[in-house]
Amino acid sequence: MNHVLCGLAANAALPSELVDRLIEVADADIAADLARRADLSHAQAVALASRVEESAAWLAYEGRLTTADIDPAAQPHAALALLCERVDSPQWARLFATDPVFERREKLAACSGLPSDVVETLAADADVRVVAELALWTTPGVAARLAGHPHAEVRCAAAANQATPPPLLAALLTSEGLPPALRCLVCDREETPFVHDPQCPRNECDLLPGDSCDGTHESTVHDTQHRALQNPATPTDAVVRFVNHPSPLLRWALAARSDLPSEVYGQLAMDPHAGVRADLAGNPAIGDALIRALAGDRGHDVQRSLAHNPRVPLDVLIRLAGTTKIGATLLPRIAAASPAEVAELAQSPESAARMLVAQRRDLPTGIRDALATDPDAKVVKSIASHPGLSEAQLRAMVDRHGVRVIAKVAANPDATPALLEDLTRHEPPVRKAFREVARHRNATGPALHNCLADKQARPLAAGHPALPPQVIAELLTDPDWRVVEAAAANPSLPLAVMSDLVPQQL
């Protein structure tokens, strides 16, 4: 991979004539960056698609190409991309419906709005993977037919399709009312009974670990049930029967549904598997009593998930914040807090409550300024990136709390150039602050020069337009390819250097 040319291909300041020259020498990697250019003309898109067929699909998805620009025989990926974007071309659809390459038929099967004769051809395809793909995306009428397909893999795909009629989803879930499936991917390839070894040494084998069939296609049936439980169109009265199923994976899928009776949620709250209880804790459909009961559950991820539930009461959330690792994030309940609740949280004696509300970026000036002087470093760290804080306020944070808040201060959109320079010279240095400064719009050349000394910040600094042009050019030979690409993509790279770089690769 030529990292210099890949970076140049993504450079927003690259003149059109140099884009043309890059197209002439583009390989798949360079073409991937060229295809994403916002200023790529239609003529350039056509030329790029003709040179690198892999780029044609992306250009088609982005609306840069039309049917007039594509030869489906020479550029099948692009043609299929247009079909998937609902371009009306029945002749192309019929061409791909009988294509000898199964992956193309499979791709076609995922397209919507296909002619009825094409759908019938795909539904009768000799490769079950094509039929399964059709079952996954097709219309209710076709999905209803494929739900009773003799191959279990097709039924499994129909179970995930929200267009499959609810009575048939229930039948797929419970195996009631449908004739038994005759085949599955396991018994297509192996003599039954068979259980696929997780340490299977066969390189060509694409069965999943644990796939099994004893004649009842049990692993595919399990996958079908899992997909049906995850499908919101599956009727509630069918899914509740799985609340005590021996498979924790199926109970796990059940816990995320929003249409269950309260007594079923109550049963799931006592599930022995912590993952089931954690998904239940994050479910907005559970009631206040269950939320409060789960607040005392110390199972893995239960309390953290509960903290992200938009219906968690504030008093519960404050208790959770004091004992649970929530992270520097704005929780849904805090984002939805009323002005009165915001004021109450900001004045709470609990630092956890103040820390939570400090994550909001729309706080009234008085509340924001009060939190900026909070004695607790965790609260100040949460408020430090809030827009509107003055340089004096940000410097006061650093003076009081030092390394604990520097990275967040550096991320403040209103941090001044002088402050950013000072933060990169702080002793002891704060590595996260270098990364924040390196991506900051107000960073200066001296500040970015200091950031270059940090391995993780170096690629970010190399792409910053405030970096001096001479330094950018020097970074084109850096041993780190990420730095090279970032420097080549830097819009402040001198035009003369850009021009010299392309011919050197011819």
Side-chain angles (χ1 to χ4, degrees):
M1 180 184 294
N2 189 315
H3 296 291
V4 170
L5 293 190
C6 284
L8 275 179
N11 194 316
L14 193 71
S16 181
E17 57 270 21
L18 291 185
V19 172
D20 290 335
R21 283 158 55 182
L22 271 182
I23 291 173
E24 293 174 1
V25 300
D27 58 16
D29 297 313
I30 297 168
D33 288 302
L34 286 170
R36 288 164 172 78
R37 292 186 63 87
D39 61 350
L40 199 70
S41 69
H42 178 253
Q44 288 171 330
V46 172
L48 182 61
S50 298
R51 175 172 177 81
V52 183
E53 207 272 326
E54 295 94 328
S55 69
W58 173 266
L59 292 166
Y61 278 124
E62 292 296 299
R64 302 292 189 91
L65 299 174
T66 67
T67 54
D69 303 319
I70 297 298
D71 176 358
Q75 298 166 301
H77 296 298
L80 284 165
L82 286 176
L83 284 172
C84 287
E85 291 300 297
R86 304 201 68 171
V87 172
D88 186 18
S89 184
Q91 63 273 28
W92 284 10
R94 294 185 179 102
L95 174 68
F96 288 116
T98 56
D99 194 294
V101 180
F102 102 85
E103 288 89 353
R104 295 174 187 168
R105 305 195 308 276
E106 185 180 42
K107 180 72 173 178
L108 178 67
C111 299
S112 58
L114 296 173
S116 58
D117 61 307
V118 171
V119 172
E120 293 303 318
T121 300
L122 294 171
D125 198 282
D127 194 312
V128 71
R129 293 170 293 183
V130 175
V131 187
E133 191 69 14
L134 180 67
L136 183 61
W137 302 105
T138 193
T139 57
V142 179
R145 285 168 44 204
L146 295 179
H149 194 278
H151 203 286
E153 190 68 17
V154 178
R155 298 184 182 202
C156 186
N161 188 342
Q162 293 187 34
T164 302
L168 286 167
L169 288 172
L172 288 167
L173 181 62
T174 62
S175 299
E176 297 172 359
L178 289 176
L182 302 180
R183 307 292 299 174
C184 70
L185 291 180
V186 179
C187 60
D188 278 348
R189 307 171 193 186
E190 307 289 345
E191 289 189 18
T192 57
F194 177 82
V195 178
H196 188 226
D197 185 353
Q199 307 300 323
C200 179
R202 296 176 295 179
N203 293 330
E204 75 285 357
C205 182
D206 60 357
L207 291 175
L208 297 177
D211 277 355
S212 62
C213 181
D214 61 2
T216 63
H217 325 298
E218 62 270 20
S219 63
T220 309
V221 168
H222 184 274
D223 291 345
T224 301
Q225 292 172 328
H226 186 248
R227 288 185 168 196
L229 287 169
Q230 290 181 311
N231 192 330
T234 305
T236 303
D237 57 354
V239 305
V240 296
R241 296 162 61 177
F242 284 75
V243 66
N244 293 314
H245 196 279
S247 168
L249 191 63
L250 299 187
R251 302 195 308 274
W252 205 328
L254 193 62
R257 292 186 64 101
S258 61
D259 58 347
L260 304 182
S262 58
E263 59 269 20
V264 175
Y265 288 132
Q267 286 180 265
L268 292 170
M270 297 182 289
D271 196 280
H273 196 290
V276 175
R277 305 196 308 276
D279 268 24
L280 180 69
N283 191 334
I286 64 175
D288 185 81
L290 201 53
I291 288 175
R292 293 184 181 278
L294 288 168
D297 190 327
R298 303 294 293 177
H300 177 69
D301 236 18
V302 175
Q303 292 180 330
R304 189 197 64 82
S305 294
L306 191 63
H308 287 264
N309 190 316
R311 294 187 59 187
V312 62
L314 283 179
D315 63 305
V316 174
L317 183 55
I318 292 169
R319 291 201 306 274
L320 291 173
T323 59
T324 308
K325 281 192 174 183
I326 295 173
T329 185
L330 177 60
L331 296 174
R333 180 62 182 88
I334 299 298
S338 67
E341 289 173 329
V342 167
E344 181 181 352
L345 287 166
Q347 296 171 11
S348 171
E350 299 290 337
S351 62
R354 305 195 303 276
M355 179 179 66
L356 289 176
V357 78
Q359 289 291 343
R360 286 184 59 145
R361 294 296 175 256
D362 60 349
L363 296 173
T365 302
I367 291 177
R368 179 202 66 198
D369 291 347
L371 292 171
T373 60
D374 197 279
D376 193 305
K378 295 192 296 289
V379 178
V380 175
K381 185 177 179 180
S382 294
I383 198 69
S385 300
H386 196 294
L389 291 169
S390 68
E391 179 177 2
Q393 287 174 305
L394 294 173
R395 288 187 180 276
M397 293 178 184
V398 175
D399 290 341
R400 287 197 309 273
H401 302 289
V403 296
R404 290 175 290 181
V405 302
I406 284 178
K408 293 298 184 180
V409 169
N412 190 291
D414 299 317
T416 63
L419 174 59
L420 294 173
E421 288 186 28
D422 288 345
L423 294 179
T424 62
R425 292 193 291 262
H426 188 274
E427 290 295 338
V430 178
R431 297 302 175 191
K432 287 185 179 179
F434 288 128
R435 298 196 292 275
E436 296 295 347
V437 173
R439 61 169 66 97
H440 202 290
R441 64 187 180 187
N442 293 335
T444 62
L448 294 167
H449 184 271
N450 294 336
C451 292
L452 289 172
D454 181 79
K455 183 177 181 180
Q456 293 186 336
R458 189 175 177 85
L460 298 170
H464 199 293
L467 199 65
Q470 180 182 351
V471 177
I472 300 172
E474 292 171 355
L475 292 173
L476 293 172
T477 58
D478 196 90
D480 187 335
W481 67 268
R482 299 173 303 162
V483 175
V484 172
E485 282 201 10
N490 194 319
S492 294
L493 185 68
L495 177 59
V497 176
M498 293 184 191
S499 184
D500 287 343
L501 288 171
V502 180
Q504 291 172 359
Q505 309 303 320
L506 294 177

